[in-house]
């Protein structure tokens, strides 16, 4: 039985939008959080459209939003997760942090300790994205 005050290790990665790869400019647009002890993975996103368009007035805002929604869907599992639907939380997290897009990119993975893994996505979104 777990002690209610026992902290769990969690991992997280920022989701970055790089509208013009050749310029290297980016904005943080979300966070993916994984806690192995709780079999928990969740993404929270917040796209600041004005900041994105300041970096690239021709940015495909709808495409970026779709890519960010897809990350949320993979975390949620089930039908929204596509090929990852049957994968456990850890495999879905590892799949999401693997680079595959030039526009929406995961940042490096960081770790921490938490009493509330389910509260970390919103806390990190407020701290690092908004």
């Amino acid at each position: 039985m777990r002690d209610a005050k026992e902290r769990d290790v969690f991992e997280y990665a920022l989701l970055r939008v790089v509208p013009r790869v050749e310029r290297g400019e980016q904005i943080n647009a979300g966070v993916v959080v994984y806690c192995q002890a709780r079999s928990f993975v969740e993404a929270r996103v917040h796209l600041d459209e004005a900041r994105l368009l300041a970096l690239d007035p021709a940015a495909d805002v709808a495409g970026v939003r779709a890519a960010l929604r897809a990350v949320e869907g993979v975390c949620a599992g089930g039908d929204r997760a596509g090929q990852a639907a049957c994968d456990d939380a850890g495999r879905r997290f590892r799949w999401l942090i693997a680079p595959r897009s030039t526009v929406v990119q995961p940042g490096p993975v960081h770790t921490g300790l938490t009493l509330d893994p389910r509260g970390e996505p919103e806390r990190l979104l407020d701290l690092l994205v908004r």
Side-chain angles (χ1 to χ4, degrees), residues 33-53:
V33 175
Y34 169 60
C35 178
Q36 181 180 9
R38 304 285 178 99
S39 295
F40 171 79
V41 64
E42 188 171 298
R44 284 277 172 43
V45 299
H46 173 81
L47 181 61
D48 185 331
E49 189 174 316
R51 289 181 69 200
L52 175 59
L53 293 173

Side-chain angles (χ1 to χ4, degrees), residues 102-126:
T102 57
V103 177
V104 176
Q105 303 176 1
V109 175
H110 303 281
T111 60
L113 294 171
T114 184
L115 291 170
D116 178 21
R118 294 190 181 284
E120 289 301 327
E122 194 66 27
R123 184 185 76 79
L124 290 169
L125 192 70
D126 284 342

Side-chain angles (χ1 to χ4, degrees), residues 18 94 126:
V18 185
R94 299 287 173 235
D126 284 342

Side-chain angles (χ1 to χ4, degrees), residues 2 7-8 11 16 18 20 25 28 40 45 51 59 71 92 99 102 105 117 124 129:
R2 296 176 59 89
R7 296 188 305 169
D8 291 311
E11 300 173 69
R16 300 171 175 166
V18 185
R20 293 179 58 194
E25 298 167 330
N28 294 340
F40 171 79
V45 299
R51 289 181 69 200
V71 171
R92 290 195 314 270
T102 57
Q105 303 176 1
L124 290 169
V129 178

Side-chain angles (χ1 to χ4, degrees), residues 1 7 13 17 19 24 26 30 32 52-53 56 61 63 66 72 78 86 93 110 121:
M1 180 171 257
R7 296 188 305 169
V17 177
Q26 63 189 18
V32 182
L52 175 59
L53 293 173
D56 182 5
V61 176
E72 290 177 315
C86 296
F93 178 72
H110 303 281

Side-chain angles (χ1 to χ4, degrees), residues 61-77:
V61 176
V64 170
R65 285 194 188 284
L68 293 169
R69 279 193 308 272
V71 171
E72 290 177 315
V74 170
C75 286

